[in-house]
Amino acid sequence: MRSFYGVTLDNPLMLGTALYPSPAIMADAFATSKAAVATVSLRREGSVDQAGQDFWNIIRDLSVHILPNTAGCHSVKEAVTTAHMAREIFNTNWIKLEVIGHTDTLQPDVFGLVEAARILSQDGFQVFPYTTEDLVVAEKLLHAGCEVLMPWGAPIGSGQGLNNILGLRSMRAHFADVPLVIDAGIGLPSHATAAMELGFDAVLLNTAVAKAGDPVEMARAMALALAAGQAGANADPMEPRDMAAPSTPVIGKAFLE
């Protein structure tokens, strides 16, 4: 496993904490999948709310790495302010940076993203930017101080999988030494396997598990899928061919006359 800001994860699954039928089911999903990272967003109604405090206590009891995010932020100022609040509450420099630019697709505002990443990196944050597969934007994020890139597979919550295989493959090849995480769009275990087979280092997902009919079983399936994809990538798989190639050699085969 590749390290993320010096932290090596035991499991490439990063799991969100929203949308579950209950906190108990969420906790069971984490226990079953052994996800290494929990992503959390700040409750907008304030940290003094008792329900909010109970939720944070449950998150802390998961005994995983906490990755606060700036979900729902549409400006640099809002994202930076939210990040500082998250650091104070969760006592971590990790931050999943979201600066949303399009309401319907939840596509990142890549211009604001780069600016916010630079500000937060200078403030000592270790930024995990939710971005696109654009190589130019990725370069700018790295220059801004990011050491991890998190391109989307598809729009958040869409479950479409990996919409731009070519772009993601190019990103993996271009940034061979950078930890890459597929963030958003995963809907099926097969999507998660495909991401790992492309050589990505982790997958971050939420809706596919939380909104499944059986979130705990889906969490288990996702963990198995990631492990299978990672093992397949490590096995140096064969390249696809344009033509058929017999698996049984012709040489030495008996011929009847």
Side-chain angles (χ1 to χ4, degrees):
M1 282 290 292
R2 204 185 300 261
S3 66
F4 299 85
Y5 291 104
V7 176
T8 301
L9 304 178
D10 295 329
N11 187 325
L13 177 59
M14 300 180 175
L15 194 55
T17 57
L19 305 175
Y20 291 85
S22 72
I25 291 176
M26 179 197 70
D28 286 347
F30 272 86
T32 299
S33 66
K34 295 181 171 57
V37 174
T39 62
V40 295
S41 58
L42 296 180
R43 283 174 174 253
R44 295 308 177 97
E45 59 266 30
S47 60
V48 297
D49 178 76
Q50 184 59 46
Q53 288 296 325
D54 290 344
F55 179 75
W56 303 143
N57 290 335
I58 292 171
I59 297 299
R60 293 185 181 98
D61 289 343
L62 295 175
S63 298
V64 297
H65 296 281
I66 304 298
L67 178 59
N69 68 43
T70 63
C73 293
H74 290 259
S75 70
V76 172
K77 181 178 180 180
E78 188 180 13
V80 169
T81 300
T82 302
H84 279 277
M85 293 171 60
R87 179 160 66 178
E88 182 177 343
I89 292 173
F90 293 106
N91 193 31
T92 178
N93 287 323
W94 278 18
I95 191 72
K96 178 191 169 186
L97 179 61
E98 294 184 24
V99 182
I100 301 301
H102 192 273
T103 303
D104 292 334
T105 64
L106 301 180
Q107 179 171 329
D109 171 2
V110 295
F111 305 101
L113 182 67
V114 171
E115 182 181 350
R118 181 176 294 108
I119 293 170
L120 292 174
S121 295
Q122 291 173 349
D123 285 343
F125 284 88
Q126 295 171 326
V127 180
F128 293 68
Y130 163 63
T131 184
T132 67
E133 65 275 24
D134 188 290
L135 300 184
V136 177
V137 174
E139 287 279 10
K140 291 184 180 298
L141 286 168
L142 294 175
H143 291 157
C146 299
E147 297 180 15
V148 175
L149 297 171
M150 301 180 70
W152 63 349
I156 294 173
S158 68
Q160 295 176 11
L162 308 181
N163 279 351
N164 186 356
I165 296 290
L166 177 60
L168 293 171
R169 183 179 287 117
S170 297
M171 193 175 199
R172 177 71 282 176
H174 193 74
F175 300 106
D177 297 325
V178 177
L180 298 182
V181 181
I182 291 292
D183 178 14
I186 298 297
L188 296 170
S190 57
H191 299 157
T193 299
M196 299 304 288
E197 288 175 343
L198 285 176
F200 281 75
D201 300 293
V203 169
L204 193 159
L205 57 90
N206 187 171
T207 309
V209 167
K211 300 301 287 184
D214 186 339
V216 177
E217 184 64 13
M218 183 58 79
R220 185 182 75 86
M222 287 294 184
L224 292 172
L226 286 168
Q230 189 172 49
N234 293 341
D236 190 17
M238 63 174 284
E239 294 292 332
R241 302 186 177 104
D242 292 332
M243 299 293 291
S247 57
T248 301
V250 176
I251 297 176
K253 181 179 179 181
F255 290 91
L256 300 178
E257 296 183 355

